[in-house]
C-alpha cells in the first residue's frame, strides 16, 4: 500500500514492514527489517509474519490492531552484553474502503540515544501512511466524480432525444391538421376559402418550428434564420404563388430561439408576411390590368 513511498524506507536504518490480510502476509520489508531477522528479502516477502517473529506478545498485538483498526505499540527487552537492549514495536493499521487491509510495523531500538531517532521515524511513517490514505481517498473521489459526470451527460442526451421525439410527433400531428384543412378548403365556398388558408398557414408555421426542433442538436432551440426561411418559403408558395417579380428574402442574425418564444414569434411573422404578400399580390394584379401605351409599359 506504500506504493512509490516505499523508496523512502528502503535505506532507512529502522526496520519497516507492511503486512496484508488476517494472515499478516509480508508485502513489503526494507533492508533493515531483513537484517533484523538475518534473511534475504525474497525469503521474507510473501511469508506470514508469525514465521519470522514467534514472539506471542507481538503476534497478539498484531491481531488486535488488525481487528480493531487502532494503532498500538509495545517495548520488548532483549538480553545482550554488556547491557540489555530495548526494542520498540509500533503498529499502525492500513485502511482501505473504511476497513483494515493490513498493518505497518516499525521496529526501533530505544534508549536515551535513540529517542530522537525514534520520534523522527514515527513521524516519517505516519506521514507516509496519511499520504497514502489521502491518495486513495482522492482516487475514489475522482472515480465517483467521473461516474456522476457520465451519468449527467447521459441524462442530457436522453433529455435531448426525448425533446426531439416529442417535437417530431407534434410536427406530425400538425401536418395531419393541415391536411384536414386542405380537405375542408376543397368543399368550402370561395368567399371563405381565404380564411381556411390563413388558418392552414398558421398551423404549417408551427409545424415547421417543431420539425426544426426535432432535427436540432440543441433539443429545444432552433436557428432563427432557418426558421424564418421556412416561413418565407411557405408564404411564397401559398400566398404569392405565380406572382411574377415578387420574392421573399430573409436576413437574420445567427441567433437561437427557444420553442416557447418561437411559436408566437412565428405566428407574428406569418401574419405580417401574409398581409404584406396579399398587398403585393393585389398590387401586382392591378398593375397587370392597366392598359399598355404600346411601348411595353403600363399607363394609368
Amino acid at each position: 500500500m506504500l506504493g512509490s513511498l516505499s523508496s523512502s524506507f528502503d535505506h532507512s536504518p529502522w526496520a519497516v514492514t507492511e503486512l496484508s490480510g488476517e494472515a499478516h502476509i509480508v508485502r513489503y520489508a526494507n533492508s533493515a527489517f531483513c537484517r533484523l531477522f538475518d534473511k534475504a528479502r525474497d525469503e521474507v516477502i510473501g511469508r506470514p509474519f508469525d514465521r519470522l517473529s514467534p514472539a506471542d506478545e507481538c503476534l497478539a498485538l498484531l491481531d488486535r490492531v488488525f481487528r480493531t483498526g487502532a494503532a498500538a505499540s509495545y517495548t520488548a527487552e532483549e538480553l545482550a552484553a554488556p547491557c540489555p537492549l530495548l526494542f520498540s514495536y509500533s503498529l499502525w493499521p492500513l485502511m482501505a474502503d473504511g476497513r483494515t487491509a493490513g498493518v505497518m510495523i516499525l521496529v526501533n531500538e530505544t534508549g536515551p540515544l535513540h529517542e530522537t531517532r525514534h520520534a523522527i521515524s514515527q513521524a516519517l511513517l505516519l506521514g507516509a501512511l496519511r499520504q497514502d490514505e489521502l491518495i486513495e481517498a482522492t482516487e475514489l473521489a475522482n472515480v465517483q466524480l467521473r461516474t456522476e459526470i457520465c451519468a449527467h451527460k447521459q441524462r442530457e442526451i436522453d433529455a435531448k432525444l426525448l425533446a426531439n421525439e416529442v417535437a417530431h410527433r407534434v410536427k406530425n400531428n400538425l401536418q395531419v391538421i393541415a391536411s384536414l384543412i386542405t380537405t375542408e378548403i376543397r368543399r368550402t365556398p370561395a368567399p371563405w376559402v381565404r380564411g381556411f388558408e390563413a388558418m392552414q398557414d398558421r398551423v404549417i408555421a408551427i409545424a415547421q418550428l417543431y420539425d426544426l426542433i426535432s432535427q436540432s442538436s440543441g433539443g429545444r432551440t432552433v436557428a432563427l434564420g432557418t426558421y424564418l426561411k421556412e416561413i418565407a418559403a411557405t408564404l411564397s408558395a401559398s400566398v404569392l404563388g405565380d406572382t411574377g417579380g415578387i420574392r421573399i428574402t430573409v436576413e437574420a442574425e445567427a441567433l437561437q430561439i427557444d420553442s416557447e418564444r418561437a411559436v408566437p414569434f412565428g405566428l407574428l411573422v406569418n401574419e405580417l408576411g401574409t398581409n404584406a404578400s396579399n398587398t403585393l399580390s393585389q398590387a401586382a394584379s392591378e398593375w397587370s390590368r392597366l392598359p399598355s401605351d404600346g411601348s411595353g409599359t403600363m399607363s394609368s
Side-chain angles (χ1 to χ4, degrees):
M1 295 182 67
L2 288 175
S4 60
L5 297 176
S6 62
S7 59
S8 303
F9 302 99
D10 284 343
H11 303 292
S12 170
W14 309 290
V16 178
T17 184
E18 176 192 350
L19 311 179
S20 175
E22 295 182 3
H24 309 310
I25 304 299
V26 178
R27 296 301 183 193
Y28 168 77
N30 66 354
S31 300
F33 183 86
C34 295
R35 288 195 302 269
L36 181 65
F37 292 97
D38 193 25
K39 293 183 179 295
R41 182 167 296 184
D42 57 358
E43 296 179 288
V44 174
I45 303 299
R47 299 189 61 186
F49 184 73
D50 60 2
R51 301 285 183 85
L52 303 173
S53 176
D56 294 336
E57 297 86 351
C58 181
L59 295 177
L61 192 62
L62 182 59
D63 287 334
R64 191 177 76 189
V65 171
F66 184 85
R67 185 177 65 256
T68 64
S73 63
Y74 81 100
T75 301
E77 182 177 2
E78 179 179 296
L79 298 177
C83 59
L85 292 176
L86 299 178
F87 287 90
S88 171
Y89 292 77
S90 299
L91 299 88
W92 291 274
L94 297 174
M95 309 304 292
D97 297 330
R99 62 180 182 84
T100 305
V103 178
M104 180 66 64
I105 301 177
L106 173 67
V107 182
N108 271 295
E109 292 182 23
T110 62
L113 298 179
H114 303 291
E115 290 180 356
T116 302
R117 254 189 359 176
H118 181 65
I120 294 174
S121 65
Q122 281 193 342
L124 177 62
L125 183 55
L126 288 174
L129 292 175
R130 179 56 178 162
Q131 183 171 351
D132 186 70
E133 291 175 359
L134 291 175
I135 291 174
E136 183 178 355
T138 301
E139 292 176 349
L140 178 60
N142 286 335
V143 170
Q144 293 175 341
L145 180 59
R146 286 194 295 268
T147 301
E148 291 177 2
I149 291 174
C150 290
H152 180 69
K153 288 182 177 179
Q154 186 59 50
R155 286 195 295 269
E156 286 186 345
I157 293 173
D158 293 342
K160 289 178 181 179
L161 291 176
L162 178 60
N164 289 348
E165 178 63 22
V166 170
H168 180 71
R169 295 190 180 189
V170 171
K171 182 262 297 184
N172 289 343
N173 292 337
L174 291 172
Q175 286 180 333
V176 171
I177 294 174
S179 299
L180 293 174
I181 295 175
T182 299
T183 302
E184 195 66 27
I185 288 174
R186 292 173 183 160
R187 56 190 183 189
T188 298
W192 295 282
V193 167
R194 186 55 209 146
F196 280 99
E197 290 177 342
M199 182 192 304
Q200 187 179 49
D201 289 342
R202 297 185 187 102
V203 173
I204 291 175
I206 300 176
Q208 289 168 338
L209 166 65
Y210 283 98
D211 186 34
L212 293 175
I213 291 177
S214 68
Q215 302 174 39
S216 171
S217 60
R220 294 186 60 84
T221 62
V222 295
L224 180 61
T226 303
Y227 184 33
L228 291 176
K229 289 177 182 178
E230 292 287 342
I231 295 175
T234 300
L235 290 174
S236 297
S238 62
V239 180
L240 294 180
D242 297 330
T243 303
I246 300 177
R247 295 193 308 274
I248 302 176
T249 59
V250 175
E251 294 182 4
E253 296 183 10
L255 298 176
Q256 294 287 324
I257 184 170
D258 62 87
S259 59
E260 293 183 1
R261 292 182 175 88
V263 171
F265 176 78
L267 292 175
L268 176 61
V269 171
N270 183 77
E271 291 297 321
L272 294 175
T274 299
N275 294 339
S277 299
N278 285 333
T279 301
L280 289 174
S281 296
Q282 292 173 3
S285 178
E286 292 176 1
W287 179 262
S288 65
R289 292 196 295 269
L290 289 177
S292 173
D293 61 4
S295 60
T297 60
M298 300 296 181
S299 60
S300 60

